[in-house]
Structures are given as C-alpha cells and as structure tokens.
Amino acid sequence: MSAATTRSRTPDRLCAEAVDLARSAAEEAAAPGVVGEHVSAVSEGDRVVTHLFECKEIGYRGWRWAVTVARASRSKLVTLDETVLLPGPDSLQAPEWVPWSDRLRPGDMGPGDLLPTEAADLRLEPGYSGEDTPPPNSAVTDAVTPQALAELVEAEDIEVTAETDRDDSIPVTERGTIASVAEELGMRRARVLSRYGLHIAADRWDESFGAKTPMAQAAPAPCVSCGFLLPLAGSLRQAFGVCANEFSPADGRVVSLAYGCGGHSEAAIMPTPPRPAPHVLDELGADAFPLGPPAGDGG
C-alpha cells in the first residue's frame, strides 16, 4: 500500500477536530433542533474530512447530516466544503424508481388514460397499404396465388362485392387484388398483430380460461360442444371462442375450446326433488280450546 493511500484513509487531525465548525454549518442548513449527536468522521482524501451528525427530523429516521471540511496544504485554517443530508445504512428510503412501462399491469388503465405503444413493439407489425411490400409474417403476401386467394376468402367467410361501404380516406382498390382482400380482412391498418403478439395472446387466454384451470377440470364437457360458444374469426377460431352465457364465470371472455364450466348448454338436467309424503299424524295443525267454562255451566 502506497504512502499516499495511507494518508488518504487517515483523517486529517485539524479537519477531524473541526466538529464545532461542522455542527454550526449543519444547524444553519437544517431546521432548529434536528441536528443530533456527532456520529463519526470519515476521511475523503488528503486534508478532506466529512463529519456525520444524527438527524432528528420526523420522516428521516436513520438519515445523517454530512458536513465536509477541508484545508489547504501547509495551512491550519479549516474551511467548509459542503453540507448535505444523506441516508444511513438503516435509513428509511423510497423504493427504487421503476419506469411506468414496467409498473403497468393489466387492468390499470381507467377512463381517459392513454397508453402509447412503442414504434418497435414486437406485438405489432406494419399493415398492408398496397403501396409497399407486406412483411414476411403477414397474412397477405405477394406470393398468394389465385387459388390460395380464393381459399383464403372462403376460409374467412368474406363476400367480395363490387360495391362495398368504404372509407373515403382509403383508396378504392380493384376487385380480386391482394389489396382488396387485405381490406376485407382488416389488414389495411397502420399496424396489425404480429405472430409474436398472436402467440402471447393465445398463451395468456389459455392460462386464464384453458383446460388446466380448476373450473375446466370439474366441468361436465368442454366449450367446443357448448351452444353458448361464439367462435372467433381467423386462425384463432381453431382454439378459441367467446363465451355468451351470462351465468358463466367466463361470460364475454375469450375461452379455450378445451375450457368448460358448469353452465354448459348440454349439461345434465338436475332431477326434480321428490315431494315428501303426507304426515300420518297431523302434528302441524292446531286445536282450539276455550279459555273459560262453557256457556250455561252452573259451576
């Protein structure tokens, strides 16, 4: 260990003895009566010492007033450097700041709240505008053949007509082109759901209303055979639907076809409870008795 390092870790004698100077500086910066006992003196370098005092102010438990003093080389005059309030090892501190994007949880949004979406959000990809090449993962690509295009239209149950209600802001496309099919599929938006966004949504829905939930394990039959199930459009209809049973815990929610509950439309009808047999002895009736002697009784 070098001599310079040894000198820097040893508090300067004159600076270490300047406790009164450090206390007066702390009392000047703090409110009256909140500067407590002297805790320690820490060497910050050659002829630089920080004096620590207890803080008695309410709400700052464990904090310390830190007053740094110093002196010039070959000088006996100790001067004030700075005075700050610092947390101690056992102080009460605010939790580490977390960005709002990491704090946000499902259900936190309320009326009037806005949730900006990042430009590079992996859940989204650019939509098909008809002017540029669609992304490789899009449902509509330039490699779609007429036969595949017809199968796509038939699978999505799309009716392509010559006259369709269109938005004036969207240019009218020729019937039968890829752009027209993209418009019918709702793909002519600025951004659409990517495959990654589709997969994480499916995983999230399956975790909440899937086959592994306790409700589905005790259900008499899965949702795939329930009359209250409304299938989704597109590729998700192969695994999910929307529950339309108002008495089901999943009413209005996206449920897996393997999910189920006691409100299944084909659940067994509970038998009518039998009527109890009449009582052999009438123990439920009441007999009327007079409170006084009969009329005409001489007694």
Side-chain angles (χ1 to χ4, degrees):
M1 184 179 294
S2 62
T5 305
T6 305
R7 290 196 303 270
S8 63
R9 291 187 178 182
T10 303
D12 182 77
R13 183 180 61 85
L14 295 179
C15 292
E17 293 176 353
V19 178
D20 295 337
L21 174 64
R23 178 180 292 276
S24 61
E27 292 177 347
E28 182 180 355
V34 299
V35 179
E37 300 295 331
H38 183 263
V39 177
S40 63
V42 181
S43 175
E44 303 290 353
D46 291 340
R47 298 177 298 282
V48 179
V49 175
T50 297
H51 293 273
L52 301 176
F53 298 89
E54 293 181 353
C55 179
K56 297 183 178 181
E57 189 169 358
I58 299 176
Y60 287 87
R61 183 187 65 190
W63 287 61
R64 298 172 178 177
W65 285 101
V67 181
T68 303
V69 296
R71 71 178 181 90
S73 177
R74 298 182 181 181
S75 174
K76 296 183 179 181
L77 178 63
V78 178
T79 59
L80 178 66
D81 191 356
E82 62 177 354
T83 303
V84 293
L85 182 62
L86 300 177
D90 300 328
S91 61
L92 180 63
Q93 303 183 53
E96 184 179 357
W97 183 81
V98 181
W100 69 267
S101 57
D102 297 337
R103 299 194 308 265
L104 189 65
R105 293 294 180 268
D108 289 348
M109 291 188 61
D113 295 341
L114 299 178
L115 179 59
T117 304
E118 298 180 0
D121 196 325
L122 298 178
R123 299 171 302 172
L124 300 172
E125 64 182 12
Y128 180 65
S129 62
E131 299 178 357
D132 51 1
T133 303
N137 293 333
S138 297
V140 179
T141 61
D142 292 335
V144 177
T145 61
Q147 181 180 0
L149 183 62
E151 294 178 355
L152 182 62
V153 173
E154 183 179 357
E156 297 293 342
D157 194 15
I158 300 174
E159 183 179 356
V160 181
T161 58
E163 297 180 359
T164 308
D165 295 336
R166 301 177 183 271
D167 190 354
D168 295 336
S169 61
I170 300 178
V172 179
T173 55
E174 185 179 356
R175 177 184 178 184
T177 60
I178 296 179
S180 65
V181 176
E183 182 178 348
E184 294 288 346
L185 293 176
M187 299 291 292
R188 299 198 71 185
R189 292 164 286 172
R191 288 191 290 179
V192 296
L193 196 65
S194 65
R195 289 189 178 182
Y196 172 75
L198 188 68
H199 290 166
I200 62 174
D203 293 340
R204 186 172 61 251
W205 297 339
D206 187 73
E207 182 179 358
S208 300
F209 297 97
K212 297 182 179 180
T213 58
M215 181 67 71
Q217 295 291 334
C223 292
V224 67
S225 59
C226 182
F228 294 107
L229 181 73
L230 300 176
L232 295 180
S235 58
L236 286 178
R237 69 183 303 165
Q238 302 177 9
F240 296 97
V242 178
C243 179
N245 187 353
E246 59 179 325
F247 301 107
S248 171
D251 179 39
R253 305 291 187 89
V254 178
V255 297
S256 171
L257 298 184
Y259 181 73
C261 67
H264 195 281
S265 62
E266 309 305 324
I269 301 177
M270 295 298 295
T272 305
R275 299 183 60 181
H279 293 282
V280 178
L281 298 177
D282 188 4
E283 298 178 350
L284 302 178
D287 297 332
F289 293 94
L291 299 178
D297 189 357

